[in-house]
């Protein structure tokens, strides 16, 4: 019987995961289908129970459910637990197990586009949601020491920093302080949904003072060039949108569901 996979989030219509995953399933001759489900926060528990009952084999989790889903799963893999966010759920027997492939996916795509030894870099992460947690944790786990986090709600950035086991020289800072000190950072990573379609005229902070030698990453992939990335590019900075991360986190999820290694280059080609 055809296996069913999917992605849950709200909004979800913009997601490129269905196109990318369905193409790869087809290319590899796997009899399965990947469907987007728009699930509101109030329905999350019921939705997870429903997916279990109807036999869904696995699914991705996107904004805004990555942390909220944790209590509704049967088991959380240690990495996802340490990160505090789940973006991939796998059916293992009767259990739904939560994993996180965002952090590793992000770093793989960063390494591809910015060939730098990351360890000495001073990094700013904007946002303190599920993706920020994964990226922060993963950067620290590979030895990056100086990663500040700015967020509209400051205590969330403070909590995120306090929750990680790695020793780091990190500060939680308000958005206006980040803006004023933006020239201190060589790598800036935008992890919020601000600037995502249809609100393409929004940006979380101004990059007026960004160094031309900086690398600026926005995990949004719709539009492919956010206002934030545009501003960085205008200042001469190298930029990267969220397509690379989408591909790598999706490839890791694909392998967990099917035990088959997908063709990352082909997945990338599907999206461009
Ligand atoms: O973590 C990923 C998620 O697995 C899928 C996704 C999407 O389909 O837009 C985005 C990210 O949150």
């Amino acid at each position: 019987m055809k296996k069913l996979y999917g992605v849950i989030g709200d909004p979800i219509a913009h997601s490129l995961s269905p196109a990318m995953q369905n193409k790869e399933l087809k290319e590899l001759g796997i009899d399965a289908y990947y469907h987007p489900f728009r699930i509101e926060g109030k329905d999350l528990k019921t939705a997870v129970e429903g997916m279990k009952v109807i036999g869904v084999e696995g699914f991705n989790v996107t904004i805004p459910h990555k942390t909220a889903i944790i209590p509704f799963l049967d088991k959380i893999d240690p990495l996802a637990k340490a990160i505090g966010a789940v973006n991939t759920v796998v059916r293992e027997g009767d259990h739904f197990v939560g994993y996180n492939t965002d952090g590793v996916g992000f770093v793989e795509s960063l390494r591809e586009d910015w060939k730098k030894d990351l360890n000495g870099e001073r990094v700013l992460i904007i946002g303190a949601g599920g993706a920020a947690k994964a990226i922060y944790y993963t950067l620290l786990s590979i030895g990056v020491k100086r990663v500040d986090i700015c967020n509209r709600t400051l205590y969330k950035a403070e909590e995120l920093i306090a929750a990680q086991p790695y020793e780091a020289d990190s500060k939680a800072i308000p958005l206006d302080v980040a803006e004023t000190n933006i020239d201190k950072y060589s790598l800036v990573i935008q992890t919020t949904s601000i600037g995502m379609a249809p609100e393409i005229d929004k940006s979380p902070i101004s990059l007026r003072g960004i160094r031309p030698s900086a690398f600026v990453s926005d995990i949004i992939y719709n539009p492919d060039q956010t206002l934030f990335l545009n501003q960085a590019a205008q200042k001469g900075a190298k930029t990267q949108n969220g397509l690379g991360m989408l591909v790598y986190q999706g490839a890791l999820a694909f392998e967990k569901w099917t035990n088959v290694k997908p063709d990352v280059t082909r997945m990338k080609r599907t999206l461009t």
Side-chain angles (χ1 to χ4, degrees), residues 85-251:
V86 162
N87 81 314
T88 299
V89 175
V90 182
R91 179 186 288 270
E92 292 176 14
D94 289 340
H95 287 122
F96 268 173
V97 184
Y99 292 89
N100 193 301
T101 66
D102 276 338
V104 175
F106 174 79
V107 169
E108 284 185 13
S109 91
L110 180 65
R111 283 200 162 122
E112 187 174 78
D113 290 345
W114 198 43
K115 300 193 176 12
K116 270 248 177 177
D117 173 13
L118 296 172
N119 288 21
E121 302 304 324
R122 182 144 180 206
V123 184
L124 176 69
I125 294 179
I126 303 168
K133 285 179 181 171
I135 291 170
Y136 181 63
Y137 182 93
T138 310
L139 288 174
L140 263 51
S141 75
I142 60 169
V144 186
K145 291 263 180 310
R146 299 193 303 167
V147 188
D148 292 341
I149 302 182
C150 70
N151 197 47
R152 200 166 31 192
T153 321
L154 194 61
Y155 81 88
K156 288 199 177 154
E158 286 164 350
E159 278 179 2
L160 202 167
I161 289 173
Q164 302 308 323
Y166 295 99
E167 216 178 283
D169 173 17
S170 292
K171 277 193 284 301
I173 52 176
L175 295 178
D176 57 332
V177 175
E179 225 171 59
T180 319
N181 290 289
I182 199 75
D183 60 319
K184 307 225 164 36
Y185 298 98
S186 47
L187 172 60
V188 177
I189 306 161
Q190 194 310 100
T191 71
T192 76
S193 55
I194 300 170
M196 189 161 117
E199 306 204 305
I200 56 168
D201 54 345
K202 296 211 168 100
S203 178
I205 64 170
S206 158
L207 291 180
R208 217 171 300 125
I210 193 84
R211 289 186 206 166
S213 60
F215 188 90
V216 178
S217 177
D218 191 330
I219 71 163
I220 293 174
Y221 59 79
N222 179 19
D224 58 4
Q225 184 89 349
T226 54
L227 186 60
F228 184 78
L229 284 190
N230 260 329
Q231 199 174 21
Q234 271 166 20
K235 294 286 167 188
K238 278 203 197 68
T239 64
Q240 167 195 61
N241 69 15
L243 278 182
M245 177 184 181
L246 184 76
V247 168
Y248 282 106
Q249 65 76 36

Side-chain angles (χ1 to χ4, degrees), residues 7 12 14-18 34 60-63 66 87-88 101-102 131 219 221 245-246 249-250 253:
V7 55
I12 203 61
H14 69 281
S15 173
L16 293 181
S17 291
Y34 182 107
N60 283 128
V61 184
T62 190
I63 288 175
K66 291 183 185 198
N87 81 314
T88 299
T101 66
D102 276 338
I219 71 163
Y221 59 79
M245 177 184 181
L246 184 76
Q249 65 76 36

